[in-house]
Structures are given as structure tokens and as C-alpha cells.
């Protein structure tokens, strides 16, 4: 009897750990699945939305979420120092919201509707009209009640932005944000909009608004060096180790893995000002670069690439010369006339 009790006790202890491992495995499998044929499915869906002439409807949904997350990630507090996640996601990371993740796997429109529905349950103002977007009001209505859900949603939307889903290229309401003190406050239009306002709200470069709204900025762009080196910002800006901080770059096509985004495993690059140099992330500095390793350079007939101090130069290969049309042509040699062996008088006598 005691032996049975021991076995049952052992099973009871083992079950929670097994359940945790199963949850982690399910989450990892779900995150990884976003990188398998998901982008093409979303692009196909958006092509149908274009044919159905519903792009404005989708843009408004993304614009509402973008406005929310621009303000939310700046103001919401997490951790001991109560920092926002403008520059890095909270670490250690919050549990990934399986419901949001699973619904977003079904398609773009379902994803947007699910996120808006979840957020509007705790933040009903996002679907209300005539709300003043001032910092004090936002701090009152944004809390961390469901921070895990909101961060998961932000990460998925950042992933879609970095994957260059066309719907995120130009979105409305980009001018709605926390305004500096003393400036005119914006009045949020909620779900009410007109085509005229929608077009006027397309501001910034391609995907710029969506990137700012949904993705962290590990380069800490636009932050003065004195602020970046402060005790509050230093841990958040640690990924910008460039010799010149302003050259820090986060390329979208190198940061489109959802599982890596969640862990703040960003691919950060540093631009180099000197010609003929390239940034080496392994040593953290700019080094001389041989552009001739690119197979696309100097591909014209008879050419070859030569590395120079400031870049590269296309020169003609051995046996070719640059003609009047600035292309490489083969050298032509006239054949010598052959008369046989030369004979001498001495040889005639033999």
C-alpha cells in the first residue's frame, strides 16, 4: 500500500514538469512554424483583399493597432526600473500568448481582428472616438494587466513588418503619438475615418511607421549620447556597440525570425563611413572589404574585378584590351610568314 502511495506521489510530482515541458515545446513549434510558408500565405491573402477592394479596411485596423503600440511600448512599465520596451523586449521574456499566436497563423485579417478584440476588452478606448491622446491620459488607461498578450501581439506584428507584408508598407494615423508639452493634442478618431483622412495619414518612408510602432529599436536611434550612457538607458542600448552610434542599422530581412525577435536576438549592423570598408560584427569594427567577392561585379565579357583602396575597378583580363566603345576585346596577332630553315654557304657545301 505504501509502495502504491509512493508511486502516485512520484507521478504527481512529475506531471507539472512534464506539462511545462510540453507547453514550451508547443510554443517553440508554433513560433518556428511562422517561418514555414507563412509569408506566402499572407501575401496571397492580401492579394485577394486588393482584388476585393478592402485595403482601406485592413489599413485602418493596422493603423489603430500601430497608434496603440507606439504609445503603449513607450509608457508601459516592466521590471524593477520600470522601463518601456521601445528598445528591447522585456527580459526575461513573458510567456508567448498561444491563443494570439494560433489565431494569427490562420491569416492576416483574423490576426488583426483577434488582437484588436483582445486589446479592446481591457482598453476599450481604441474603438472610441474623440479621445485626447495626451501622456497623462494614456498613463491612466494603459496598464500591465495583460502585458504578455500585448507583447506577443507586438512581436507578431513586428515580424509581419520585417517580412515586408505589403499591408504594412503605408498605414494611417502615423502622426498620432505622444506630443511634446505645449503642442496641440491630437483627437483620436477611433474606428471612424474617411478616405481623405486615411490618405493624408500616409506619412514617412515605406514600412517606417509600422517599424516604429511594432518593433523595438535596439540601436536607440535619436537618443542623445548623454542620455544613452545614463544608468537607465545603458542596459537598453547595449546592442548599439558601433564606434559611431549613429551608424547602427537593423536590417529587416536579417530580423524576420519570430522566435529570435522574442529573445532580443537582433542582427545589428554598423555602417562604415570610409569607402571600401565593411562592418565586422565579430570584432565590432569596420575593416577593409574586398567587394570583388561579389560575383555580380565586372561580369562583362573579358573583364575581371580588381580590389582597390577605395573600392574596386573593372579591368580587362590578360589577352584583352579596352576598345573605343569601352568594352574589352581580345587582342589579335598577325600570323608570321614561315620560310623554313635558313641555309648558309657552309651548309650548301655539305
Amino acid at each position: 500500500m505504501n509502495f502504491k502511495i509512493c508511486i502516485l506521489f512520484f507521478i504527481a510530482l512529475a506531471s507539472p514538469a512534464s506539462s511545462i515541458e510540453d507547453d514550451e515545446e508547443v510554443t517553440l513549434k508554433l513560433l518556428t512554424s511562422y517561418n514555414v510558408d507563412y509569408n506566402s500565405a499572407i501575401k496571397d491573402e492580401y492579394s485577394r483583399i486588393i482584388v476585393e477592394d478592402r485595403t482601406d479596411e485592413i489599413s485602418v485596423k493596422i493603423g489603430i493597432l500601430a497608434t496603440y503600440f507606439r504609445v503603449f511600448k513607450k509608457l508601459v512599465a516592466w521590471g524593477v526600473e520600470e522601463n518601456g520596451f521601445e528598445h528591447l523586449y522585456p527580459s526575461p521574456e513573458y510567456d508567448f500568448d498561444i491563443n494570439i499566436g494560433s489565431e494569427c497563423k490562420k491569416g492576416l485579417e483574423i490576426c488583426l481582428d483577434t488582437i484588436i478584440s483582445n486589446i479592446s476588452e481591457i482598453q476599450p478606448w481604441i474603438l472610441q472616438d474623440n479621445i485626447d491622446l495626451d501622456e497623462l491620459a494614456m498613463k491612466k488607461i494603459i496598464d500591465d494587466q495583460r502585458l504578455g498578450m500585448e507583447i506577443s501581439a507586438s512581436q507578431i506584428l513586428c515580424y509581419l513588418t520585417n517580412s515586408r507584408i505589403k499591408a504594412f508598407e503605408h498605414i494611417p494615423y502615423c502622426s498620432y503619438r505622444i506630443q511634446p508639452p505645449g503642442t496641440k493634442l491630437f483627437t483620436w478618431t477611433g474606428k471612424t475615418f474617411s478616405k481623405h483622412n486615411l490618405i493624408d495619414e500616409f506619412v514617412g518612408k515605406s514600412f517606417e511607421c509600422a517599424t516604429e510602432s511594432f518593433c523595438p529599436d535596439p540601436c536607440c536611434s535619436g537618443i542623445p549620447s548623454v542620455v544613452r550612457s545614463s544608468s537607465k538607458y545603458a542596459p537598453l542600448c547595449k546592442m548599439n556597440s558601433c564606434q559611431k552610434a549613429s551608424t547602427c542599422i537593423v536590417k529587416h530581412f536579417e530580423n524576420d525570425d519570430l522566435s529570435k525577435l522574442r529573445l532580443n536576438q537582433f542582427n545589428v549592423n554598423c555602417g562604415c563611413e570610409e569607402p571600401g570598408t565593411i562592418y565586422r560584427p565579430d570584432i565590432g569594427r569596420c575593416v577593409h572589404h574586398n567587394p570583388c567577392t561579389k560575383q555580380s561585379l565586372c561580369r562583362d565579357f573579358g573583364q575581371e574585378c580588381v580590389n582597390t583602396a577605395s573600392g574596386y575597378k573593372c579591368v580587362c583580363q590578360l589577352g584583352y584590351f579596352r576598345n573605343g566603345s569601352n568594352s574589352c576585346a581580345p587582342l589579335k596577332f598577325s600570323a608570321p610568314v614561315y620560310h623554313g630553315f635558313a641555309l648558309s654557304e657552309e651548309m650548301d657545301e655539305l
Side-chain angles (χ1 to χ4, degrees), residues 107-126:
L108 174 62
E109 194 164 10
I110 291 177
C111 180
L112 298 175
D113 289 340
T114 302
I115 294 173
I116 288 177
S117 175
N118 275 265
I119 292 177
S120 61
E121 288 180 7
I122 53 175
Q123 310 291 355
W125 65 271
I126 68 169

Side-chain angles (χ1 to χ4, degrees), residues 27 30-31 34 94-103 114 118 146 148-153 155-156 262:
T27 300
L30 177 60
L31 291 170
Y34 272 84
Y94 282 75
D95 290 339
F96 187 71
D97 192 301
I98 298 294
N99 176 59
I100 291 285
S102 300
E103 290 299 303
T114 302
N118 275 265
R146 297 178 66 182
M149 179 275 293
E150 288 160 315
I151 290 177
S152 299
Q155 290 165 345
I156 292 173
R262 273 185 48 77

Side-chain angles (χ1 to χ4, degrees), residues 15-269:
S15 295
S18 176
S19 176
I20 292 174
E21 289 176 1
D22 290 344
D23 290 343
E24 291 177 354
E25 187 176 337
V26 169
T27 300
L28 182 59
K29 187 175 181 180
L30 177 60
L31 291 170
T32 305
S33 69
Y34 272 84
N35 296 329
V36 182
D37 299 328
Y38 181 62
N39 289 344
S40 58
I42 293 292
K43 290 172 183 175
D44 289 344
E45 179 188 357
Y46 192 64
S47 296
R48 292 194 298 272
I49 290 171
I50 293 174
V51 172
E52 296 167 3
D53 196 23
R54 294 194 300 111
T55 54
D56 281 358
E57 180 184 339
I58 300 300
S59 291
V60 167
K61 292 177 182 180
I62 298 175
I64 289 174
L65 289 173
T67 300
Y68 176 76
F69 280 110
R70 274 198 305 278
V71 180
F72 177 83
K73 72 178 188 177
K74 185 178 181 66
L75 296 183
V76 70
W78 59 269
V80 178
E81 296 184 5
E82 296 190 343
N83 295 316
F85 61 96
E86 282 185 284
H87 309 295
L88 291 175
Y89 289 120
S91 180
E93 68 274 9
Y94 282 75
D95 290 339
F96 187 71
D97 192 301
I98 298 294
N99 176 59
I100 291 285
S102 300
E103 290 299 303
C104 282
K105 273 286 292 178
K106 297 177 181 178
L108 174 62
E109 194 164 10
I110 291 177
C111 180
L112 298 175
D113 289 340
T114 302
I115 294 173
I116 288 177
S117 175
N118 275 265
I119 292 177
S120 61
E121 288 180 7
I122 53 175
Q123 310 291 355
W125 65 271
I126 68 169
L127 294 181
Q128 295 176 0
D129 296 337
N130 303 320
I131 303 292
D132 286 337
L133 294 186
D134 66 296
E135 184 170 355
L136 181 61
M138 283 302 209
K139 284 185 176 178
K140 289 179 180 178
I141 61 180
I142 287 182
D143 57 40
D144 61 353
Q145 181 180 355
R146 297 178 66 182
L147 189 56
M149 179 275 293
E150 288 160 315
I151 290 177
S152 299
S154 173
Q155 290 165 345
I156 292 173
L157 295 169
C158 177
Y159 159 79
L160 293 172
T161 300
N162 285 348
S163 298
R164 289 307 187 249
I165 302 302
K166 190 72 173 176
F168 291 77
E169 183 175 10
H170 294 292
I171 56 179
Y173 310 133
C174 293
S175 58
Y176 286 85
R177 59 191 66 242
I178 296 174
Q179 298 298 304
T183 58
K184 182 181 178 181
L185 300 178
F186 283 110
T187 300
W188 174 236
T189 58
K191 60 183 176 181
T192 302
F193 71 99
S194 67
K195 288 186 177 180
H196 178 70
N197 287 337
L198 185 67
I199 294 173
D200 285 348
E201 292 296 343
F202 288 162
V203 296
K205 300 176 183 177
S206 296
F207 297 99
E208 182 178 21
C209 181
T211 301
E212 177 196 350
S213 305
F214 301 127
C215 302
D217 174 23
C219 288
C220 293
S221 305
I223 297 177
S225 57
V226 63
V227 177
R228 187 184 289 108
S229 59
S230 69
S231 58
K232 176 181 178 181
Y233 271 97
L236 300 176
C237 300
K238 61 186 178 182
M239 296 196 72
N240 186 351
S241 57
C242 302
Q243 290 179 319
K244 190 173 182 179
S246 61
T247 64
C248 184
I249 304 170
V250 181
K251 297 179 179 178
H252 66 88
F253 55 85
E254 294 179 352
N255 293 277
D256 58 355
D257 187 319
L258 181 56
S259 58
K260 296 292 191 344
L261 285 177
R262 273 185 48 77
L263 301 175
N264 288 316
Q265 293 178 355
F266 299 103
N267 287 315
V268 175
N269 207 332

